[in-house]
Amino acid sequence: METLLLSSSENDIKKAAGILNNGGVVAIPTETVYGLAANALDGSVIKKIFIAKGRPMDNPLIVHVSSIDDIDKFSLVKEISDKARKLMEKFWPGPLTIILKKTENVPDEVSAGLDTVAIRCPSHKVANKLIKTASIPLAAPSANISGRPSPTTFSHVKNDMLGKVDAIIDGGQSDVGVESTVITLIADIPRLLRPGYITKEQIEDVIGKIDVDKAVFDKIDNTEKVSSPGMKYKHYSPKADVILLAGESEKFIDYVNRNSDKNTAVICYDDEKKNIDALSFTVGDENDMKAQAYNLFDILRKVDEENNITLVYAHLPKKEGIGMAVYNRLIRAAGFEVISLE
Ligand code: TXA
Ligand code: MG
């Protein structure tokens, strides 16, 4: 298939909207990561997304809208509860995905047979304008090949999707760098299913106490029932094995210097880099979680481009604030392998 490469110009957004209205698949920039979009109201086109990504069919997609009003306009959910509306008013447009009971307007292909739907209103100007121009909600997972790190630049998307989708829009580098925070409001107590840029603390400030799903930090046994099907798959992985090291900087540096060879790469903090002998990549300052989120997926892809690297050591991040998102992605990239240096 020929893939049309588009800019963020008004004219190109119109072209992309035309493709989506005709049942095509377009990779689009969002503030979190790039997404692979198609008409969320047409179940027959959704399978193209799953094929392009190589995604398991039981993993539901997020529906993207351009405003809170779109939810009623397209009659996507049974009810917007008070808590849901409060969160939407506070954080939308922005990187928060909310799970609610769906109506029959959301095809089973989008919800993977669940009776719920995940909805998000992106703040990225191009994504938001595209949804308005196409006048349809867009179902979109991250635009990576399933299992690989999510794409945060146009070139990441080209690497994964060229020849597999109808068009890719260049929207520069994603501001946030990790996927949206996902929260379900189906149970009595809201539950965080995936941490992101909008933190647990920020959400609790608006709707009170929430739970954190077990799968955010821990490995889920294949036989256990998961709330978010995406969490049971290995994720974000470069081709090399990733091992996380827990402990302070001095011990981290000492360990990687003693255990590295020419086939090892290290993911570290700014201050550590100068003391590390192996090939190393910094995610940012130890206390700058925003920078770590912004850089993480790009670095995991850079590691992949180094052909000889078979092992990656990374410093286990703090679980606080946006750090919870970085922790969650890295621990999956590492297949939950952590060595304690204490
Ligand atoms: O930032 C993002 O959320 C990006 C951009 C493109 O918007 N999208 C994204 O989509 O990360 P995806 O498909 O890669 O991740 C969506 C996650 C998956 O883990 C999926 O299982 C979960 O959300 N999910 C979607 N619908 C769900 C539902 N109804 N119930 C539970 N989990 C759901
Ligand atoms: Mg994804």
Side-chain angles (χ1 to χ4, degrees), residues 141-170:
S142 49
N144 51 290
I145 291 172
S146 224
R148 296 206 69 204
S150 295
T152 55
T153 69
F154 182 52
S155 98
H156 294 165
V157 183
K158 281 192 290 182
N159 283 339
D160 281 15
M161 290 299 153
L162 207 63
K164 296 183 179 167
V165 298
D166 295 294
I168 304 174
I169 303 178
D170 184 355

Side-chain angles (χ1 to χ4, degrees), residues 28 30-36 53 55 58-62 64 95 97 99-100 110-111 114-120 122 140-144 150 178-182 184 193-194 227-231 235-236:
I28 66 169
T30 86
E31 72 277 20
T32 54
V33 302
Y34 277 71
L36 206 55
K53 275 182 69 88
R55 180 177 176 110
D58 67 348
N59 195 359
L61 307 181
I62 295 173
H64 296 69
T97 297
I99 294 173
L100 296 167
V110 171
S111 63
L114 299 176
D115 61 357
T116 57
V117 60
I119 303 191
R120 147 165 151 75
S142 49
N144 51 290
S150 295
V178 292
E179 308 86 342
S180 61
T181 306
V182 179
T184 174
L193 299 182
R194 182 174 72 183
S227 307
S228 186
M231 287 192 290
H235 250 123
Y236 316 117

Side-chain angles (χ1 to χ4, degrees), residues 124-228:
H124 194 289
K125 288 206 173 68
V126 175
N128 208 280
K129 185 134 193 225
L130 180 61
I131 299 168
K132 285 202 171 85
T133 309
S135 289
I136 42 171
L138 297 178
S142 49
N144 51 290
I145 291 172
S146 224
R148 296 206 69 204
S150 295
T152 55
T153 69
F154 182 52
S155 98
H156 294 165
V157 183
K158 281 192 290 182
N159 283 339
D160 281 15
M161 290 299 153
L162 207 63
K164 296 183 179 167
V165 298
D166 295 294
I168 304 174
I169 303 178
D170 184 355
Q173 181 153 6
S174 298
D175 280 340
V176 172
V178 292
E179 308 86 342
S180 61
T181 306
V182 179
I183 185 166
T184 174
L185 298 184
I186 298 300
D188 284 345
I189 300 177
R191 196 149 34 94
L192 187 75
L193 299 182
R194 182 174 72 183
Y197 187 83
I198 306 289
T199 64
K200 174 174 183 276
E201 294 77 17
Q202 282 177 295
I203 292 172
E204 288 185 327
D205 278 348
V206 178
I207 58 167
K209 184 100 188 76
I210 64 169
D211 286 339
V212 177
D213 201 88
K214 181 173 180 287
V216 168
F217 299 125
D218 298 318
K219 188 171 187 164
I220 296 297
D221 193 288
N222 270 341
T223 57
E224 278 178 76
K225 185 177 177 306
V226 288
S227 307
S228 186

Side-chain angles (χ1 to χ4, degrees), residues 14-146:
K14 276 193 194 134
K15 271 189 208 164
I19 294 170
L20 291 164
N21 283 319
N22 283 314
V25 176
V26 180
I28 66 169
T30 86
E31 72 277 20
T32 54
V33 302
Y34 277 71
L36 206 55
N39 182 355
L41 301 177
D42 183 355
S44 72
V45 303
I46 297 300
K47 66 174 174 302
K48 294 185 193 171
I49 293 178
F50 285 86
I51 292 167
K53 275 182 69 88
R55 180 177 176 110
M57 295 297 287
D58 67 348
N59 195 359
L61 307 181
I62 295 173
V63 173
H64 296 69
V65 295
S66 71
S67 65
I68 302 178
D69 291 345
D70 275 0
I71 300 177
D72 286 332
K73 182 174 159 192
F74 299 110
S75 186
L76 299 173
V77 306
K78 292 242 162 87
E79 192 202 351
I80 303 178
S81 62
D82 287 349
K83 282 181 180 169
R85 190 170 293 278
K86 278 187 185 156
L87 290 175
M88 290 169 185
E89 281 169 359
K90 176 77 183 176
F91 298 113
W92 282 9
L96 177 69
T97 297
I98 300 173
I99 294 173
L100 296 167
K101 284 261 188 241
K102 82 174 191 76
T103 63
E104 60 287 353
N105 285 357
V106 178
D108 282 343
E109 289 83 352
V110 171
S111 63
L114 299 176
D115 61 357
T116 57
V117 60
I119 303 191
R120 147 165 151 75
C121 176
S123 63
H124 194 289
K125 288 206 173 68
V126 175
N128 208 280
K129 185 134 193 225
L130 180 61
I131 299 168
K132 285 202 171 85
T133 309
S135 289
I136 42 171
L138 297 178
S142 49
N144 51 290
I145 291 172
S146 224

